[in-house]
Amino acid sequence: MRSIHPAADEGATPIGAKLRAARTAQGMSLSQVATTTGLSKGFLSRVERDETSPSVATLVQLCQVLSLPVGALFVEPEVQLVTWEEAPPINLGGFGADERMLSPRGQERVQLLRSELEPDAHGGSDLYTINCDVEVLHVVSGSVSVRFADRTVTVEAGAALTLPGREPHTWRVEGGEPAVVLWTIVPAPWSGSA
């Protein structure tokens, strides 16, 4: 017996995850999409798992219901890999720090910095600010204290500290051991493209 819907082509562009993401972003269940389109939940589920290929007419109908341009399903996402060796070194004014920008040059939405810190490395004696909305410090190894105007917070390996952008602070490696930290800054205060 022949299936009503064709099986997915192994070489076809996977679109199921994009359809599922659009559906869930809209807060719609499979049942709601099935009711709106007249398609079965089972068929929609198979489409979202890339187990079957919808016809062009069905694809257009799904995209209309999900407020998604059909072309968006076939656009290759921009993916960039930055290795530690290729990452541009940056100088944020700290002492005893090998710091590199791991987010791609020109990325404006978020910036990821990795700092390999010597024992007793620090960000200077004066409090400083970064022009951003949110700053997150994740300590990969070692221990780092972050000093604010009114208190000091110690961040141990495996923990993360989130602070408001533009909050005056400085940092210091504690315990006489080196540390590795990741700084995530949103939005990126500089693109590093200069």
Side-chain angles (χ1 to χ4, degrees):
M1 177 182 219
R2 204 177 106 139
S3 172
I4 298 173
H5 303 291
D9 178 0
E10 293 291 325
T13 302
I15 59 171
K18 290 180 181 180
L19 287 169
R20 183 182 313 108
R23 176 180 60 76
T24 57
Q26 300 272 338
M28 296 180 76
S29 68
L30 272 175
S31 296
Q32 290 170 312
V33 175
T35 300
T36 305
T37 61
L39 300 168
S40 74
K41 281 177 34 179
F43 172 71
L44 292 172
S45 178
R46 287 191 307 278
V47 168
E48 286 188 356
R49 292 190 317 263
D50 290 313
E51 292 176 357
T52 190
S53 296
S55 68
V56 173
T58 299
L59 193 56
V60 169
Q61 181 184 21
L62 284 171
C63 287
Q64 286 174 339
V65 168
L66 299 173
S67 301
L68 180 69
V70 175
L73 295 173
F74 303 100
V75 173
E76 283 288 324
E78 185 178 328
V79 177
Q80 294 176 290
L81 174 67
V82 178
T83 65
W84 173 257
E85 295 77 22
E86 297 170 335
I90 56 173
N91 182 353
L92 299 179
F95 300 91
D98 180 1
E99 298 180 300
R100 310 230 183 143
M101 186 167 56
L102 289 175
S103 48
R105 290 181 180 268
Q107 171 58 263
E108 297 174 351
R109 294 173 302 218
V110 65
Q111 195 157 63
L112 179 64
L113 310 173
R114 179 179 167 123
S115 301
E116 295 194 354
L117 307 171
E118 297 173 5
D120 301 317
H122 59 89
S125 57
D126 295 331
L127 301 181
Y128 66 89
T129 62
I130 293 179
N131 184 22
C132 65
D133 293 333
V134 177
E135 193 174 335
V136 180
L137 164 65
H138 171 65
V139 178
V140 176
S141 64
S143 177
V144 176
S145 64
V146 179
R147 182 171 54 91
F148 299 96
D150 62 346
R151 68 189 178 284
T152 298
V153 177
T154 301
V155 186
E156 301 292 339
L161 177 70
T162 301
L163 57 132
R166 302 171 191 86
E167 179 69 27
H169 66 283
T170 191
W171 56 269
R172 174 174 292 282
V173 173
E174 300 294 343
E177 296 291 325
V180 175
V181 302
L182 297 173
W183 296 92
T184 304
I185 305 168
V186 178
W190 63 91
S191 68
S193 57

